[in-house]
Each structure stands twice: as C-alpha cells, then as structure tokens.
Amino acid sequence: MEPKEASFWSFYACLQLAKHGLNVVLISRTLEKLQAIADEIEWTTGSHVKIIQADFTKEDIYDDIKEKLEGLEIGILVNNVGMLPSLLPSHFLNTPGEIQSLIHCNITSVVKMTQLVLKHMESRGKGLILNISSGTALCPWPLYALYSASKAFVCTFSKALHVEYRAKGIIIQVLTPYAVSTPMTKYLNTNMVTKTADEFVKESLKYVMIGAETCGCLAHEILVINDFF
C-alpha cells in the first residue's frame, strides 16, 4: 500500500494557496516527487516551497518533522496524506498490505501533525486546519471497512477539535468528498459527480468558512442529501 491522496492535494491545494502569496511546506516520502512539485509551484507562483521527506506509514518521523518546522509560522495545515488498501471491494481478512501502515498513515498522521502545529496556532490566536476525510466516513462501508473506519476517525476528531478551539480563533474543518479522479482512484473518468483534482480543490477552498464539515463541492453535498433522506 502507498499513500496516494497526498499527490493531488499537495500539488493543487498548495498551488492555490501559493497563488495567494503564501509560502508552502510539502511533506511526503518520495523526494523526487516532492522536488518536482516544489519546482513547479515556485516557478508558477513565485512563492517559496520547503520540502521535508517523511514516510507517514511509519511512527518515528515526528521528531524530525518538528525539528525541520522549527521557527516557521504555520498558518494553514492541510492533513491530506492517506492510503486505500484496494480500489476493489474486499472483505477485511483479505485486505492486502500491512494494517498498521494504514493506521499510521490515515489516523496517526492527522493526530501528530495537528498536535505539532495547533499549539502554535493557539498561542497566536489564529489558524486554519483542513483535514481530508472521505464520503465513506459518513456511514459504515462494508468491503471498505478499514478505510471507512479510519476516515470516520478523522471526521469525528476534526469536528470535536473544531468545538474545542473555534473560540480561540482557529478554524478546523473536515472535508468528506466522494469520487475524485486521482492516482488513488486509478484516475476515474470524470463527470458531473466525479471531479478532477483541480476542480475539487478550487471548489472546496470556497467553503472554508462555512463550518466544521463539508463534502467540498455541491455535487457531493447533493449525494449526501440523497443518501440520508
């Protein structure tokens, strides 16, 4: 299993933020991809990009990340790294790969990165944390049990933190998108519901101020309404 969600969010979200004049820190495990993304963002926007190599399937990476973030004022944190055992539905006992790696990547990464950054946001009295969950978090998804449950944790954790810290000037929002055409979803054909990564990121950033939870785009919000009513 390999972290896949980072690839589309790291580029498109950071590109949009850099276009607004923000400098960016990218964290992922593949140095060559990080450097390529950083070069394109810097060339396109003129913003500075710092890269940190780290494998979020591991547990012992956060002291190094903390050291490399020292002295930086992080105003926006996007917790987007994630992995899907298989795009094809399968029973839990047939889940390929290491279960612990998925837990570290989908759950531990959100908790630890939030812990590293949130305390500095609290001391400044401002900040924004965007946690990328999934539409599969909104109800149990048999045959995607582990992935669905890991994303449900992200959703519940985020909404609880939003209540704890909103009075301190910090916005914590969780996104629960459905289908987006990315490497993780094997580049699904796009349509009115299945968005390109660029389309989804641009639309989702418009909803940052609306509350603790959003699907990130209108088409996916309509899917939720149809599922629950």
Side-chain angles (χ1 to χ4, degrees):
M1 292 186 291
E2 178 181 358
K4 293 286 191 178
E5 291 177 7
S7 57
F8 90 87
W9 267 94
S10 292
F11 177 69
Y12 291 106
C14 290
L15 180 61
Q16 292 301 316
L17 296 173
K19 285 180 177 178
H20 288 82
L22 298 176
N23 294 323
V24 173
V25 180
L26 292 172
I27 308 175
S28 190
R29 73 175 182 177
T30 307
L31 187 59
E32 294 79 7
K33 290 182 180 178
L34 277 173
Q35 191 61 62
I37 292 171
D39 290 345
E40 184 163 353
I41 291 174
E42 289 184 335
W43 182 82
T44 303
T45 67
S47 292
H48 176 69
V49 180
K50 178 182 177 67
I51 60 175
I52 300 174
Q53 186 177 20
D55 184 351
F56 284 104
T57 64
K58 309 298 183 185
E59 190 176 14
D60 59 351
I61 61 173
Y62 296 97
D63 287 342
D64 183 59
I65 292 174
K66 179 180 179 181
E67 181 180 332
K68 291 177 178 175
L69 291 178
E70 197 71 36
L72 299 179
E73 185 175 303
I74 307 298
I76 301 173
L77 170 66
V78 182
N79 281 315
N80 59 283
V81 67
M83 58 198 305
L84 176 67
S86 173
L87 187 59
L88 298 176
S90 61
H91 288 84
F92 171 67
L93 292 179
N94 297 326
T95 300
E98 295 184 14
I99 290 173
Q100 195 62 54
S101 293
L102 184 143
I103 292 171
H104 284 324
C105 189
N106 289 11
I107 297 176
T108 306
S109 66
V110 176
V111 175
K112 297 295 287 186
M113 290 304 301
T114 299
Q115 185 181 41
L116 285 179
V117 172
L118 181 58
K119 57 185 177 182
H120 300 294
M121 291 180 171
E122 182 182 23
S123 66
R124 295 193 303 270
K126 61 180 179 179
L128 168 64
I129 298 177
L130 298 176
N131 292 329
I132 312 305
S133 179
S134 166
T136 64
L138 301 178
C139 61
W141 278 56
L143 304 181
Y144 292 94
L146 185 58
Y147 179 77
S148 172
S150 71
K151 291 301 186 179
F153 172 88
V154 174
C155 193
T156 299
F157 178 68
S158 302
K159 290 191 288 185
L161 285 187
H162 175 76
V163 174
E164 290 182 27
Y165 288 93
R166 62 187 174 188
K168 300 183 179 182
I170 301 165
I171 298 171
I172 300 172
Q173 185 184 77
V174 61
L175 277 74
T176 54
Y178 283 90
V180 180
S181 182
T182 70
M184 191 181 76
T185 58
K186 308 298 183 185
Y187 294 106
L188 290 169
N189 292 329
T190 57
N191 51 43
M192 290 182 64
V193 173
T194 303
K195 302 295 184 178
T196 69
D198 188 30
E199 288 172 339
F200 178 78
V201 169
K202 285 180 179 177
E203 186 170 353
S204 67
L205 290 176
K206 297 177 182 178
Y207 303 130
V208 166
M209 303 299 292
I210 71 166
E213 179 183 354
T214 174
C215 288
C217 72
L218 180 59
H220 294 186
E221 294 286 356
I222 293 171
L223 286 179
V224 173
I225 293 171
N226 288 337
D227 285 344
F228 286 92
F229 293 96

